[in-house]
Amino acid sequence: VLRSKRELQIISGEWGLVDHVGSKQSLYNYSQKIAEETDNKKLLKALKHLEQYKGGDTIKLSAITGVWFEGFQQYLLKESGLSQTTASAYSSQIRQVLHRAVRDNILAKNPASIVKGIPIPESEKVYLTVDEIQKLANVQLGGELGAEVRIAFLFACFTGLRISDIRTLTWGEIERNPLQIKKRQKKTKRFVIVPMNQTAWDLINDNQLHDKDELVFPLVGTTNTNTNQYLNMWAERVGLQKQIGWHTARRTFATLTLEQGAEILTVSKLLGHTKVSTTAVYAKATDKLKREAVNALPEITIVKKAGGEK
């Protein structure tokens, strides 16, 4: 019997047919196998909630319908105690598993494709103004790690690098003529070239020769300490009414370059985004661009009363 089932699976795979044997396995077991293969920690967290949903740990892939998936989403939203953002993320993980099942010829179609996803509420995009950057630059942070965190954060404000790229940035990726960074991004694996202005160069220039494989920020790159605590302490010491993190620096770079008149496509290339729509999120964050757009509207003469009196 087992051999017959396995032969049916092989034949189905060779001819691109739906694997009816594979579709009899549970969604939970199939998802767990994918999570372990890909080391997907977010999917593993989603499985904990799938297990708590009524029947979620036993339902077979072939039994899943759009109605079932919609019910699972409602559970995540209303009964799991999760925030809407986290509920959306976990729902998306299970949706991707079902998409994988279609790709593996286990399901003929994704039952979740007819169900609208959980919308992610738009959050405030925190970025720093030039004056706020200057205030931070005027205040030192104590200790060797604190001092390097300060320089690295300011450097990120002028280059837009992610913290993952700040940690792995080497002197071999810094070119001096012209001043620019040539680096393959750790997150996206995309190759980016980011010109540096004089401020960015002055932040890291120590007038010493370095090996090409030497880290520009060795302490930040190797520490196990949560460096966000330094950023929070720094902001509090300066008196900023904003909660900042490493991504704040990247968002600041994007927003300020847009405000200075850079085209959104150019900024997208500098950040290494795969889609311009991702960069467009930063354009929403600044009121200055909105004011400039409105102020650019043509003026007309308004006649308030009959007879031409203005």
Side-chain angles (χ1 to χ4, degrees), residues 79-114:
E79 300 178 41
S80 66
L82 298 171
S83 68
Q84 187 168 332
T85 300
T86 305
S88 176
Y90 289 172
S91 167
S92 178
Q93 288 295 319
I94 302 302
R95 187 186 293 269
Q96 290 174 29
V97 167
L98 294 173
H99 180 73
R100 166 78 177 267
V102 174
R103 197 175 65 197
D104 291 345
N105 290 326
I106 294 175
L107 293 178
K109 61 180 180 179
N110 185 351
S113 62
I114 59 174

Side-chain angles (χ1 to χ4, degrees), residues 198-214:
Q198 192 60 44
T199 299
W201 172 242
D202 289 342
L203 282 165
I204 62 173
N205 181 22
D206 56 6
N207 296 313
Q208 296 182 22
L209 293 176
H210 294 275
D211 185 81
K212 66 176 183 178
D213 296 324
E214 188 178 346

Side-chain angles (χ1 to χ4, degrees), residues 222-287:
T222 57
T223 184
N224 292 322
T225 302
N226 181 6
T227 52
N228 279 312
Q229 62 183 329
Y230 285 94
L231 299 180
N232 293 329
M233 179 174 59
W234 194 19
E236 185 178 349
R237 189 175 299 174
V238 171
L240 289 184
Q241 299 300 313
K242 296 178 179 179
Q243 185 173 0
I244 65 174
W246 284 102
H247 199 72
T248 308
R250 182 169 168 83
R251 190 177 296 122
T252 295
F253 172 80
T255 304
L256 293 184
T257 49
L258 286 168
E259 285 188 347
Q260 294 302 313
E263 294 183 357
I264 194 168
L265 181 60
T266 301
V267 178
S268 182
K269 296 293 184 183
L270 289 170
L271 295 172
H273 286 160
T274 56
K275 299 178 181 178
V276 176
S277 58
T278 306
T279 316
V281 174
Y282 297 110
K284 293 181 181 179
T286 169
D287 290 330

Side-chain angles (χ1 to χ4, degrees), residues 140-183:
Q140 300 289 333
L141 276 174
E144 291 184 4
L145 179 57
E148 192 171 284
V149 166
R150 172 179 172 271
I151 297 299
F153 181 86
L154 292 173
F155 184 77
C157 286
F158 287 92
T159 59
L161 294 184
R162 295 184 181 91
I163 179 57
S164 57
D165 295 323
I166 287 288
R167 288 195 181 108
T168 57
L169 182 65
T170 64
W171 286 101
E173 294 168 324
I174 304 290
E175 295 188 350
R176 303 193 183 189
N177 189 22
L179 281 174
Q180 61 184 16
I181 300 167
K182 295 179 72 173
K183 182 173 181 60

